[in-house]
Amino acid sequence: MNRILIEHTVTDVLTRSNSEIEVVLEHLFPGKRLIGGKYNLDDNRITLYLGVLEEQCRLLFGSLEPFEDYVRVVLAHELGHAHDPELEYLSDRLVQIRGKLSRTRVSLRLEQNAWRYADDLLRRENPAVFDTIMGYSLSGYYDLLPEYADYVESATTA
């Protein structure tokens, strides 16, 4: 991974989004989860975990060939969280809700909002990479929610 290239990629996406949010580049997410990017509402900062993003890219695409596009998509998605007008409300709801399905529905809405923003920002650049990352990101939510059972079943048989 060429850190200078990644820094230029981050600058380009921030410029396109007209965003002044601080983006921090780190190697690994502190914890056992495979998180490649995270928006922190408290300090209005996005952290990209480049080592994790590399691992995710290899797992999803079998190589690092689309790595720059992968970083662009993940950053655009995290910017979607940062610019989501519902973020505070939905985050508060997550704290209050106890049921697993209800929490999953709220989490899905947060993710869909962020993906809509990312879609508007850069999907046209590389739709195959974008759609693959978004589809994988949302599939776990769809798998858990009964209202998507027909959608999941038709997607797996197609």
Side-chain angles (χ1 to χ4, degrees), residues 23-108:
V23 176
V24 177
L25 302 177
E26 293 187 8
H27 185 64
L28 295 175
F29 179 76
K32 295 183 183 199
R33 295 174 50 205
L34 200 60
I35 293 179
K38 182 157 181 52
Y39 171 67
N40 186 318
L41 179 61
D42 294 332
D43 61 10
N44 195 35
R45 179 185 342 186
I46 293 170
T47 305
L48 296 177
Y49 301 98
L50 299 178
V52 177
L53 290 172
E54 282 183 351
E55 187 175 344
Q56 289 175 342
C57 186
R58 275 193 196 97
L59 288 169
L60 205 52
F61 295 101
S63 77
L64 288 177
E65 186 175 330
F67 184 66
E68 184 182 349
D69 285 330
Y70 198 95
V71 170
R72 294 173 92 70
V73 170
V74 172
L75 177 55
H77 172 78
E78 295 306 324
L79 284 166
H81 287 304
H83 294 284
D84 182 355
E86 292 187 312
L87 181 64
E88 278 192 71
Y89 166 75
L90 292 173
S91 295
D92 288 343
R93 295 255 314 138
L94 272 178
V95 172
Q96 299 166 2
I97 295 174
R98 298 287 176 239
K100 184 177 181 177
L101 286 180
S102 295
R103 288 181 58 79
T104 301
R105 287 183 183 101
V106 172
S107 295
L108 175 60

Side-chain angles (χ1 to χ4, degrees), residues 12 16 69 72 121-127:
D12 180 57
R16 286 174 180 226
D69 285 330
R72 294 173 92 70
L121 186 61
L122 58 75
R123 181 179 179 273
R124 292 175 300 283
E125 289 180 16
N126 194 334

